[in-house]
């Protein structure tokens, strides 16, 4: 992921959840990716995309843009290990490079999935961008667990830079930090990277903008270039 991002000089992962009412989602997201492809390190597709275009639509998007983008399936998996691994295998077959998994079940011994010479990177969600009284009570345990499982990285909300900083301290260089919550949810572009994240995830501030390319060009100026 870092290699591709360094080649493209980008720290942005675009979340495709939004499409304008009345438009065909697959057409809209394909055109959007065509127009901003060179500015992205990766693309995140979650349940809204799956429920809008179905698994074959996801496969089509991934296949069309996978040469130049790292694709993350964000179904926030949280289940018994066997079910999570079965889902991860299907995600791998759709062509994705990585998948996001909730770590709070803490009942996994191994999550890595390999098939036909390809492996799926797993990112563990340790702190969300929204606030809740329960969130972050077990932050250190979840980060330790991500390290124990040897995950590719973790997800930490950009709206809490102090938590991003703490997770970087706990994690050291043992995984990447993906940080959503930039733009519409309030965090400034670049703020999570300055706190220690590697990538920022942006959705509506780009996809719902009347001029997505212009919006993204403005946003990417906030990032220091990747130096991996
Ligand atoms: P937006 O930039 O439109 O707010 O989108 C943020 C994206 O990041 C959404 O796809 C959402 O599912 C995801 N996300 C988040 O906002 N906060 C989290 O804590 C974890 C997420 O995956």
């Amino acid at each position: 992921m870092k290699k591709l991002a360094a080649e493209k000089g980008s720290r942005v992962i675009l979340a495709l959840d939004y499409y304008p009412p009345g438009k065909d989602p697959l057409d809209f997201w394909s055109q959007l990716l065509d127009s901003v492809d060179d500015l992205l390190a990766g693309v995140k597709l979650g349940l809204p995309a799956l429920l809008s275009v179905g698994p074959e639509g996801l496969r089509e998007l991934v296949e069309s843009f996978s040469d130049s983008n790292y694709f993350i399936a964000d179904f926030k998996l949280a289940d018994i290990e066997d079910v999570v691994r079965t889902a991860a295998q299907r995600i791998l077959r759709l062509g994705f490079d990585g998948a996001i998994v909730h770590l709070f079940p803490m009942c996994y011994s191994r999550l890595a999935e390999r098939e036909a010479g390809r492996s799926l990177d797993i990112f563990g969600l340790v702190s969300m961008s929204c606030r809740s009284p329960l969130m972050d009570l077990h932050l250190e345990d979840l980060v330790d667990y991500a390290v124990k499982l040897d995950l590719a990285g973790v997800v930490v909300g950009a709206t809490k830079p102090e938590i991003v900083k703490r997770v970087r301290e706990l994690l050291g260089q043992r995984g990447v930090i993906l940080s959503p919550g930039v733009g519409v949810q309030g965090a400034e572009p670049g703020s999570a990277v300055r706190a220690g994240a590697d990538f920022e995830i942006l959705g509506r501030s780009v996809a719902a903008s009347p001029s997505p390319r212009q919006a993204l060009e403005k946003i990417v100026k906030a990032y220091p270039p990747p130096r991996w």
Side-chain angles (χ1 to χ4, degrees):
M1 181 184 201
K2 281 183 167 174
K3 188 169 171 278
L4 180 70
E7 278 165 18
K8 292 177 80 180
S10 175
R11 289 181 180 271
V12 175
I13 295 169
L14 182 61
L16 297 181
D17 304 308
Y18 169 88
Y19 66 93
K23 289 222 175 178
D24 178 77
L26 199 50
D27 287 348
F28 176 75
W29 289 329
S30 299
Q31 283 165 22
L32 176 58
L33 288 182
D34 255 336
S35 71
V36 296
D37 184 72
D38 57 310
L39 300 173
L40 301 178
V43 179
K44 184 176 85 70
L45 296 162
L47 280 177
L50 175 66
L51 298 172
S52 305
V53 303
E56 287 314 310
L58 295 189
R59 188 198 300 280
E60 195 179 317
L61 274 173
V62 174
E63 272 176 7
S64 308
F65 295 93
S66 63
D67 284 350
S68 51
N69 281 288
Y70 183 94
F71 273 86
I72 301 173
D74 178 14
F75 304 133
K76 296 194 177 62
L77 302 169
D79 213 312
I80 57 169
E81 177 165 319
D82 197 57
V83 170
V84 171
R85 290 187 56 193
T86 303
Q89 207 177 66
R90 303 295 184 274
I91 287 169
L92 188 57
R93 284 183 200 162
L94 289 176
F96 284 95
D97 303 289
I100 295 176
V101 168
H102 268 295
L103 290 186
F104 71 81
M106 289 193 86
C107 59
Y108 314 130
S109 58
R110 190 170 75 84
L111 285 177
E113 277 311 310
R114 287 191 74 77
E115 200 174 273
R118 292 183 59 241
S119 60
L120 188 71
D121 295 335
I122 304 289
F123 299 91
L125 189 44
V126 295
S127 177
M128 294 197 68
S129 55
C130 46
R131 307 241 165 208
S132 99
L134 293 183
M135 194 94 63
D136 303 330
L137 290 181
H138 298 285
L139 183 76
E140 302 201 358
D141 294 328
L142 293 177
V143 177
D144 281 352
Y145 190 49
V147 171
K148 185 171 153 242
L149 290 172
D150 197 21
L151 300 188
V154 296
V155 180
V156 187
T159 48
K160 297 181 276 189
E162 70 289 356
I163 302 284
V164 177
K165 192 162 174 271
R166 180 74 188 124
V167 172
R168 174 52 76 205
E169 283 164 8
L170 293 167
L171 197 61
Q173 296 308 314
R174 291 171 294 187
V176 301
I177 299 178
L178 315 179
S179 200
V182 174
V184 175
Q185 293 182 55
E188 287 294 322
S191 58
V193 167
R194 281 196 298 280
D198 299 287
F199 296 96
E200 291 185 4
I201 297 173
L202 291 135
R204 290 162 293 174
S205 47
V206 176
S209 154
S211 175
R213 184 166 179 98
Q214 265 180 317
L216 197 49
E217 277 174 344
K218 213 167 132 197
I219 289 165
V220 293
K221 290 198 181 113
Y223 298 101
R227 260 187 248 107
W228 301 301

